[in-house]
Amino acid sequence: MARYEQVHGSVALITLTGPPVNALSAAVRQGITDTVSRALGDPEVKSVVICGQNGVFCGGADIREFAKPTMGGPPLVPMMAAIEEGDKPVVAAIEGVALGGGLELALGCHYRIAHSKARLGLPEVTLGLLPAAGGTQRLPRLIGVAAALDLITTGRHVTAQQALKLGMVDQVAEQNTVEAAIQFAKQVEGKPLLPRKLSLQPTACPPEVDTLLEEAMAQVKRRARGAIAPVACVMAVRAAVTLPYQAGMQKEQELMSTLFRSSQARAMQYCFFAQRAVGRWKLPGGAHSVNTKPRPVTKAAVIGLGTMGRGITVALVKAGIAVVAVETNDKQLQTGKQIVCEMLKREAEKRKETPRLDLVHFTTSLAELKDSDLVIEAVFEDMPLKKQVFKELSSVCRADAFLCSNTSGLDVDELASVTRRPEMVVGMHFFAPAHVMRLLEVVCGRGSSPEAVATAMQLGKRLGKVSVAVGNCSGFVGNRMLKPYLEEANFLLEEGATPELVDAALEEFGFAMGVFRMSDLSGLDVGWRIRKEAGLTGPDVDPRDHPRRRQGRRYSPLPDLVCEQGRLGQKNGRGWYLYDKPGGRVATPDPSIHRFLEDYRLKHAISPRHIDRQEVVERCLFALINEGFRVLDDGIAAGPEDIDMIYVFGYGWPRHRGGPMFYAAMVGLPKVLERLEHYRQAHPDVPHLEPSALLRRLVDSGSPPIDTWRDFLQRPHSQL
């Protein structure tokens, strides 16, 4: 759909009309084709301006069409070629966004005028694809190879001013962009168009272009961690350097064809839609995100200025929310204040803004919370301490103030039980660093009101988080599923693996860090303290039981024994790996850890065996996935999308694998079931390897598509 009108006598104004972002659907492509043909064939028209309605130029392709067997309407490449090859100047008036195919459309035009608030980019790589309407061929010809590689392989957006500096646009307009483009079009009527047709221009290459491309490929492979789209992007740009335009276009199409059919593209497009779906939460009583109005939060409070509290405070201030930050004594308050202010200054410097230090009030008095709309408790992960805080908050806060806990796994209902308002209590599980990490688990207790859930979800969105509503159980979704993953990694060490082998297998799968490098980063003493509080360490519960069992099930004491040696991870330079100094980041294998493992196996008469990378991936990931099926069946997550977005945004699951549940569907549920049964037979003392009832039901039903799994849940969701 495109509206055609003739303005200022000689200018044809073509307006894309496909709300909300004028995506290049079949109808919009047909509209562009028809109106451009009309303008080029009208002798009264001397120039053309293309814009979008409602202040948005074009958000790119209509991703929903990707799932169709065939895409109707005119193809993009000939459409854009017709624009460029025409004998009348065509000017793109870019407002709002020009992304993906939208930017490629603008590159097919002869000139580009952008509003000062516009953003431009080629984000196809984030969907497992590459710009396939000439973007990989025209952009290097316009702004050079290095700049084009940066934008195409990362998918990042640039501002209008950055685009002007790069040479992507010809002018930046502060006010009426369309009118500025019309006036510009009239000025260039009759001028030679050959220099403005990018397909006819050579690619501007520096003398060391081969080295540049080789280095870019090496960097992309390191960063991509197995994702194939960024690699294909470099190959396409290389074609713009080494081949004539038409041959480069052919290469672009070949690469796109391979990507389009790949499981990685399906995974990343699944993530695109799943990220939007998780905001549509629903409670068992029928209340859901569509008909529940969140309450506005203008003033919040944070209790505790440790690592998490500081990050939460910074996240709130960055969102423009006034914060009362509370600590127990002056010394801790001053330490927290200094660090928070430094963090805010660094964040503001990155964004070239003035730090909003005025939005934070630091105090040791809970009485100053009387005007807060919402309070986030972020004290030490200790139930008695948190219950004491909630009891006090129930007394000092307004009756309509929401009380939230940043717990990573404690019982939200137990916290709510000490208040006079359980309906106002929800969990808000942030992930460290809280001002950076995208995930927020919003934990719904039995008494949590729809309004409380809606407000916490909306606040998370305002903070730039991907908010996922989950039920209340130990560990919620993310940490509950993480437990068997970590346990399997430790069992593999007992059986003959090394930390380096396990980590290498998981990093090859796509994780930024394997289990043991991540444990060193987090601090080994953190988990040790939790296990001690849970009664898992120390003497055996049953002295007749095997020394490696606790509470009737297999338990590996390896992490505890490592901590007892004073090895706490990066913080003191010694953990599962060695580091060059306390706080160092470069991990090197430690021979003393290898000797420690050998001695442990000898003591417990364990014969080490060869373990390959496939077993590492299957044991760790299938155990995690199996727990995910239990989470679904227990009603702690409403659907597989919730689990997948929690793991993609909170636990580093590689996006090109789609999330644990999507990955299980891609591997094949019968394969997952078969391997779990195999490992359960080999390790009968590990309950989490017993295939879940939901997994069995799905396999018995023919392994239906992932979007139908909700229909197979055993009972209504207990919490969601």
Side-chain angles (χ1 to χ4, degrees), residues 169-192:
V169 301
D170 299 283
Q171 280 187 13
V172 172
E174 293 295 336
Q175 300 297 329
N176 192 323
T177 309
V178 175
E179 186 59 34
I182 291 170
Q183 294 303 322
F184 186 92
K186 290 183 68 67
Q187 293 171 15
V188 297
E189 288 176 357
K191 291 188 176 180

Side-chain angles (χ1 to χ4, degrees), residues 457-690:
M457 292 287 284
Q458 178 60 33
L459 178 60
K461 183 177 180 180
R462 186 174 170 187
L463 300 182
K465 308 297 183 186
V466 175
S467 303
V468 184
V470 302
N472 181 33
C473 69
S474 178
F476 313 136
V477 171
N479 284 342
R480 171 175 164 175
M481 291 173 59
L482 191 67
K483 185 179 178 184
Y485 170 82
L486 298 175
E487 287 181 342
E488 284 301 317
N490 291 325
F491 296 160
L492 287 164
L493 292 192
E494 291 186 338
E495 295 163 28
T498 62
E500 305 89 78
L501 170 68
V502 174
D503 285 352
L506 296 170
E507 289 164 16
E508 183 178 64
F509 179 81
F511 286 97
M513 286 187 180
V515 169
F516 298 106
R517 285 181 62 206
M518 181 57 72
S519 297
D520 277 358
L521 174 64
S522 303
L524 302 185
D525 53 325
V526 176
W528 190 31
R529 183 175 61 244
I530 293 171
R531 292 190 298 276
K532 284 192 288 188
E533 291 171 356
L536 291 174
T537 62
D540 294 334
V541 174
D542 183 349
R544 297 166 299 175
D545 207 355
H546 190 283
R548 294 183 297 111
R549 289 184 174 85
R550 298 289 188 272
Q551 300 174 358
R553 56 178 292 169
R554 182 174 174 182
Y555 174 84
S556 174
L558 289 176
D560 307 326
L561 298 174
V562 168
C563 286
E564 288 173 8
Q565 296 177 21
R567 306 178 71 101
L568 306 182
Q570 288 185 7
K571 63 178 66 178
N572 71 343
R574 298 167 65 245
W576 292 107
Y577 295 89
L578 277 179
Y579 299 86
D580 55 344
K581 59 182 178 180
R585 295 298 179 93
V586 180
T588 57
D590 188 351
S592 65
I593 283 289
H594 296 172
R595 289 193 295 272
F596 158 72
L597 292 173
E598 290 167 1
D599 292 343
Y600 175 87
R601 296 176 195 125
L602 185 63
K603 177 181 178 181
H604 294 291
I606 302 172
S607 299
R609 60 183 179 82
H610 172 73
I611 295 173
D612 60 24
R613 293 188 178 191
Q614 180 180 345
E615 181 178 352
V616 171
V617 169
E618 290 181 347
R619 290 269 298 275
C620 292
L621 299 189
F622 288 2
L624 180 149
I625 288 166
N626 195 38
E627 192 64 29
F629 282 114
R630 291 194 178 102
V631 163
L632 285 174
D633 222 12
D634 291 347
I636 302 302
E641 304 91 345
D642 302 81
I643 292 174
D644 287 336
M645 293 305 93
I646 285 170
Y647 262 82
V648 166
F649 287 101
Y651 293 86
W653 186 280
R655 193 181 182 93
H656 63 272
R657 304 281 192 178
M661 311 318 289
F662 182 88
Y663 176 70
M666 293 302 294
V667 168
L669 300 188
K671 169 75 178 292
V672 175
L673 176 61
E674 183 271 322
R675 297 314 291 161
L676 282 169
E677 289 177 330
H678 167 79
Y679 291 121
R680 174 62 164 162
Q681 290 177 3
H683 307 283
D685 55 351
V686 182
H688 62 235
L689 293 175
E690 173 62 39

